[in-house]
Amino acid sequence: MTRNKGSEGSRYTMPLSTGPTLPEPVVCHPAQVSAQSNIPFRPRTKKTPAQKNLSTADVESYAKPFLKFITDNPTVFHAVNELAKRLESHGFTKLSSREPWFGKTKPGGKYFIERNGSSIIAFVIGSRYQAGNGVAVIASHIDAVTTKVKPISTKPTTAGYVQLGIAPYAGALNKTWWDRDLGIGGKVLVEDPSTGRIEPRLFKLDWPIARIPTLAPHFGAPAYDPNPNPETQMVPIIGLDNSGTEADPTNNRSLIGCSAGIFASTQPSRLVKAVTKEMQIKPEDIVNWELEVFDTQPAQLGGLDKEFIFAPRIDDKLCSYAAIEALIASTEDSADSTSSTDDDSIIKMVGCFDDEEIGSLLRQGARSNFLPSTIERIVAAFAGSLSIPEYVAQTYANGFMISADVSHAVNPNYLNVYLENHAPRLNVGVAVQADPNGHTTTNSVSTALLQKVAECCDSQLQVFQIRNDSRSGGTVGPMLSSAMGMRAIDAGLPQLSMHSIRATCGNLDPGLGVKLFKGFFDHFEAVDAHFR
């Protein structure tokens, strides 16, 4: 979630909410909906595990895989690559945005597409899908507050320390970044010297290479400065050089054996050496790179009964992970791994976007044409010679989107900043996020629809709204919903310590997210019939 500014209020004892009261039971089976509402549905021929709600054991089983996902994929590029591999292992086919989709997208098919290697959209086309039918979308963001290596990251050696030029991405380089074990990784553009072909390759080192040291309190006032200069006082150290010589571009080139004018000559020589050694390439093969500096401490279970997850980058790898896992679970029979989309007439879709933390304005962000154009291309592939704009507009009108971004869990030490009865707890369920000033998409209709879905899949909803004397953060929901005219709601899993280098959620929360999101994919078509 993009940053919001809290404010202090009077302290009081507040009852903590565990979610809104759900409405009357809803019919969740398409055949029953048909009988009650005269809306045509074909009865399901068999009940597969994909239509069954997740058990408590199923919910618990997602914790450790989520820990591994967070730890093993520290940059946005690694995270998207891992989700792509996960999708491919479950029968999804990668599409290219540069090629036509006619004849490639078919009813019952499972596909995904990437943009920039940092955003990904996955979708499943129902076996009974026709152009103009609805689309069930879960949209999240997969970027996280981090730091990025500057274009020219070489800095002079200072007092014997080799340092690295980095810049904050979103709210990084706050006080939680001091004295952390920091690693490095990201995307490197590598040129094949024999063919001239340039391809992106992933890179990361498996040990911490940097640290931003604090000043000891013995030095007095400077050590307690509440606003340290991020350009001069939060520069990470990455090595020692006590030779007494200043690092300069000439010395840099002589150390790594590369000539002037190539990208590697603008970077710290020892960093280039580490990258080339790890990737088994030469300095002159590096065309450019996008590297992040990140916390290396593994995600882990905590608490006396291991009921917490302590991890970096929870915002928002958490909802992205849960959404992709839900899409996989909703479209597969665990017994024989065959598709369970035989009775679906809609598109099920998950979008995980980059750049949400900085406004989503780039081509891989949610404010771009990535999601609308993907939906439009699917519709066009099925519309034939008929009016494509008409069917696209119909698809948007029949669709529904969950904007899934993490919410604020209640902090027991700061109860005064939470609105009474709007304070989500960990390990309870997804929180609906409301805001009267349009920072979220939530309204009465979208809330009622998601409540019906939650009832169908035995999930519990919570609710969050900021106090009147605080400012709400933003999500991808309003920008996407307004661009497509699609009904939408903001609902995400709660966490503590948002925008800290390390945060906390519950050990059940990844699975609770999967449970509700899977329920959305399984039951939206039936539930939506009650809202026509």
Side-chain angles (χ1 to χ4, degrees):
M1 178 179 284
T2 48
R3 189 175 183 178
N4 67 303
K5 297 178 180 178
S7 61
E8 294 294 328
S10 60
R11 182 173 293 275
Y12 60 88
T13 303
M14 56 180 286
L16 302 181
S17 73
T18 56
T21 302
L22 296 179
E24 291 300 313
V26 65
V27 175
C28 304
H29 194 282
Q32 294 172 289
V33 171
S34 176
Q36 295 185 14
S37 62
N38 296 320
I39 297 173
F41 282 98
R42 187 179 69 181
R44 298 189 184 275
T45 57
K46 64 175 182 177
K47 190 75 170 179
T48 70
Q51 282 83 56
K52 293 180 180 178
N53 299 329
L54 296 184
S55 67
T56 301
D58 292 332
V59 168
E60 293 174 350
S61 71
Y62 283 97
K64 289 185 178 180
F66 176 68
L67 298 180
K68 181 173 174 57
F69 171 72
I70 285 285
T71 301
D72 292 350
N73 301 284
T75 77
V76 65
F77 302 109
H78 286 86
V80 167
N81 181 68
E82 179 60 28
L83 292 183
K85 290 192 296 184
R86 180 86 174 131
L87 290 165
E88 285 182 322
S89 70
H90 286 269
F92 284 71
T93 300
K94 185 176 182 179
L95 297 174
S96 170
S97 60
R98 294 194 175 199
E99 299 175 357
W101 291 4
F102 290 97
K104 294 182 179 179
T105 52
K106 301 177 181 180
K110 303 188 289 187
Y111 309 94
F112 71 93
I113 181 173
E114 297 180 29
R115 181 174 284 189
N116 190 51
S118 60
S119 293
I120 187 169
I121 293 175
F123 59 93
V124 177
I125 303 173
S127 296
R128 300 171 59 233
Y129 173 77
Q130 295 179 353
N133 288 7
V135 54
V137 182
I138 299 177
S140 188
H141 73 91
I142 198 163
D143 62 317
V145 172
T146 187
T147 62
K148 299 196 174 187
V149 173
K150 291 181 177 179
I152 299 176
S153 61
T154 299
K155 298 186 73 66
T157 298
T158 302
Y161 292 102
V162 181
Q163 295 181 286
L164 181 67
I166 62 172
Y169 175 85
L173 290 186
N174 57 44
K175 61 183 180 181
T176 66
W177 283 71
W178 295 100
D179 294 328
R180 301 297 307 184
D181 297 340
L182 304 176
I184 192 166
K187 178 173 71 175
V188 179
L189 295 182
V190 179
E191 182 176 7
D192 186 327
S194 60
T195 65
R197 179 180 175 83
I198 298 173
E199 64 175 3
R201 291 170 56 181
L202 296 182
F203 156 79
K204 67 174 180 177
L205 295 178
D206 291 328
W207 70 92
I209 60 99
R211 196 173 184 90
I212 302 173
T214 54
L215 184 65
H218 309 75
F219 289 93
Y224 297 97
D225 184 355
N227 298 299
N229 189 311
E231 181 64 35
T232 61
Q233 294 175 309
M234 298 194 72
V235 184
I237 54 175
I238 60 172
L240 293 172
D241 180 4
N242 290 317
S243 63
T245 60
E246 293 292 319
D248 58 62
T250 303
N251 188 38
N252 211 29
R253 290 195 299 273
S254 65
L255 286 174
I256 62 176
C258 61
S259 57
I262 69 171
F263 175 79
S265 67
T266 66
Q267 308 301 320
S269 60
R270 291 161 69 175
L271 175 59
V272 173
K273 183 178 180 181
V275 172
T276 54
K277 181 179 179 181
E278 180 70 20
M279 300 184 69
Q280 296 296 298
I281 58 175
K282 297 178 180 179
E284 53 267 29
D285 296 336
I286 301 175
V287 177
N288 212 308
W289 62 34
E290 294 178 63
L291 301 184
E292 298 179 23
V293 173
F294 49 80
D295 177 49
T296 62
Q297 184 177 345
Q300 55 191 338
L301 295 175
L304 291 177
D305 294 316
K306 298 185 177 179
E307 60 264 66
F308 297 122
I309 287 177
F310 302 144
R313 303 175 290 276
I314 287 179
D315 179 9
D316 197 354
K317 303 294 191 292
L318 178 57
C319 289
S320 292
Y321 172 86
I324 289 292
E325 289 297 321
L327 182 64
I328 292 172
S330 74
T331 56
E332 289 205 342
D333 185 329
S334 61
D336 58 13
S337 295
T338 58
S339 173
S340 64
T341 63
D342 291 348
D343 298 307
D344 292 331
S345 61
I346 62 171
I347 302 166
K348 302 175 181 180
M349 179 176 289
V350 171
C352 303
F353 300 96
D354 193 6
D355 300 323
E356 188 273 344
E357 295 291 0
I358 56 172
S360 301
L361 289 169
L362 304 182
R363 64 181 290 267
Q364 58 271 18
R367 205 184 293 267
S368 72
N369 72 338
F370 192 20
L371 183 63
S373 66
T374 299
I375 294 174
E376 290 162 11
R377 293 186 71 174
I378 298 170
V379 173
F382 284 82
S385 59
L386 302 177
S387 173
I388 295 175
E390 171 73 17
Y391 281 120
V392 169
Q394 189 178 354
T395 298
Y396 290 154
N398 286 325
F400 189 92
M401 179 182 68
I402 298 177
S403 169
D405 199 352
V406 289
S407 182
H408 296 285
V410 62
N411 185 321
N413 300 322
Y414 294 91
L415 295 183
N416 59 300
V417 304
Y418 291 85
L419 180 64
E420 186 176 6
N421 298 321
H422 298 75
R425 299 184 180 189
L426 303 181
N427 280 349
V428 172
V430 170
V432 172
Q433 300 162 18
D435 184 89
N437 296 301
H439 292 106
T440 69
T441 61
T442 302
N443 60 27
S444 60
V445 173
S446 61
T447 301
L449 192 148
L450 190 62
Q451 286 174 341
K452 300 287 189 181
V453 167
E455 179 182 289
C456 286
C457 63
D458 299 325
S459 289
Q460 184 170 353
L461 294 179
Q462 305 186 83
V463 62
F464 175 80
Q465 182 169 309
I466 205 77
R467 282 166 52 103
N468 293 343
D469 51 7
S470 298
R471 182 185 179 277
S472 175
T475 72
V476 301
M479 64 187 75
L480 286 171
S481 178
S482 60
M484 299 181 294
M486 187 180 294
R487 295 167 297 167
I489 189 170
D490 273 274
L493 292 157
Q495 69 157 88
L496 289 168
S497 308
M498 190 178 295
H499 288 195
S500 171
I501 197 171
R502 290 186 71 81
T504 300
C505 65
N507 70 313
L508 300 181
D509 285 327
L512 290 172
V514 175
K515 184 177 183 179
L516 178 68
F517 297 156
K518 176 182 179 294
F520 171 63
F521 289 132
D522 288 347
H523 302 296
F524 166 70
E525 193 170 0
V527 169
D528 187 44
H530 293 261
F531 289 83
R532 292 179 182 270

